[in-house]
Amino acid sequence: MDGMFVSCDGCACPDFQGFTLLMPAVSVGNVGQLAVDLVISTLGMSKVGYFYTDCLVPMIGNNPYATTEENATELCINAEVYAVPSKELVVLQIRSPFIKNKYRPFCKTLLSWVKSCGFSKIVLLSSSHAYQRNDQQLHGTSLRYLLSPAVEKTIGNVIERLSGRELEQIAAFPGVNGDEKVFHIPGGGITKLLFTESCSKEIPMVVLLKFCSEGDNIPDAHALADYLNEWLQLTANQQSSSSSVKCSRWKIPSSWKLLFGSGLPPALF
């Protein structure tokens, strides 16, 4: 068994028919995962279950979206499912890396779950190494999108008008034969495989991606979440009442306080 959805209250799978599934690729700088954190935290999404899988490194921790002392002690694991039915949105958050050679079985399980739930589309948030861009990718925005054929007709013209550009394909064999073009997504983790599989299985899939480097990737996560929001309008910009200052539309989850470790223990000095 490679994986399955287990609902929180032990009931059958909730009805996700026609919902959008949002998830991160575990990719460079963890940008997709951080952007998904912002969405879950800002929309106050409730956990509806988890994805039971042997394809990810096992992990357990405290509630990353704690808002009170009471809910801070709830536990979280490596792949959990959140929902906000009023926005017809389901989020699969992945918190640990893939086990070597387990990309393929994970994709297979995930896509069969997507089909059985009747999701209207998958949106994958991803990232790719900035230093491996080709010449045409160095200009303008660092945001890119990919659309599987099943969504191209319906939302292609909407996505085209946003701030990103379609991810450029590159020659499969540079200098040999310029005709065959492929996608090259270095650092993109599961992105390329999941996208290719979605294309061949006629699953509606949108990839939103940002070129970035390892380091403080919080600004990248905000930029990717903003790009998603430009399209899906998940949350409005908060205008502060006293002035015209634009506050961030995203609510920072409590777990981010420890993103770079908890600081130096005073006992050192």
Side-chain angles (χ1 to χ4, degrees), residues 21-236:
L21 174 66
L22 174 70
M23 62 175 286
V26 182
S27 51
V28 53
N30 306 106
V31 175
Q33 293 157 293
L34 292 171
V36 165
D37 261 356
L38 289 173
V39 171
I40 294 171
S41 176
T42 305
L43 298 182
M45 296 181 81
S46 46
K47 187 171 11 175
V48 291
Y50 57 94
F51 211 68
Y52 184 79
T53 174
D54 60 1
C55 300
L56 294 163
V57 173
M59 180 231 100
I60 192 160
N62 280 357
N63 178 5
Y65 312 116
T67 47
T68 61
E69 280 186 17
E70 283 72 58
N71 69 14
T73 54
E74 291 169 14
L75 294 179
C76 77
I77 58 167
N78 55 8
E80 293 188 318
V81 181
Y82 296 80
V84 55
S86 62
K87 293 190 186 290
E88 300 201 327
L89 180 69
V90 170
V91 171
L92 169 63
Q93 176 62 302
I94 300 176
R95 296 198 177 90
S96 70
F98 282 88
I99 290 168
K100 202 174 155 61
N101 304 329
K102 287 283 191 178
Y103 277 5
R104 211 163 275 284
F106 182 83
C107 280
K108 192 171 170 233
T109 313
L110 178 79
L111 294 179
S112 67
W113 180 58
V114 165
K115 281 209 153 149
S116 69
C117 286
F119 286 116
S120 65
K121 58 185 169 300
I122 310 182
V123 181
L124 184 72
L125 299 185
S126 182
S127 50
S128 182
H129 282 298
Y131 72 88
Q132 294 201 1
R133 284 173 295 179
N134 63 18
D135 292 350
Q136 62 185 131
Q137 291 173 340
L138 288 169
H139 303 289
T141 175
S142 58
L143 296 164
R144 293 291 183 277
Y145 68 84
L146 279 171
L147 303 174
S148 73
V151 282
E152 211 155 7
K153 293 183 280 295
T154 50
I155 59 172
N157 55 0
V158 179
I159 298 272
E160 268 167 35
R161 292 200 295 270
L162 306 179
S163 50
R165 291 213 304 253
E166 188 166 9
L167 183 69
E168 300 84 352
Q169 290 184 294
I170 60 166
F173 309 104
V176 185
N177 168 9
D179 298 343
E180 200 183 330
K181 295 272 203 252
V182 291
F183 287 114
H184 184 52
I185 310 175
I190 199 173
T191 310
K192 187 176 171 180
L193 178 64
L194 199 53
F195 182 70
T196 332
E197 290 289 301
S198 298
C199 290
S200 65
K201 290 187 166 62
E202 292 176 11
I203 287 176
M205 179 174 212
V206 178
V207 178
L208 300 183
L209 173 150
K210 186 173 191 304
F211 293 121
C212 67
S213 314
E214 294 278 8
D216 175 1
N217 297 104
I218 290 176
D220 297 309
H222 275 274
L224 192 58
D226 284 343
Y227 184 29
L228 172 76
N229 199 54
E230 232 188 301
W231 167 38
L232 292 184
Q233 306 283 308
L234 297 173
T235 171

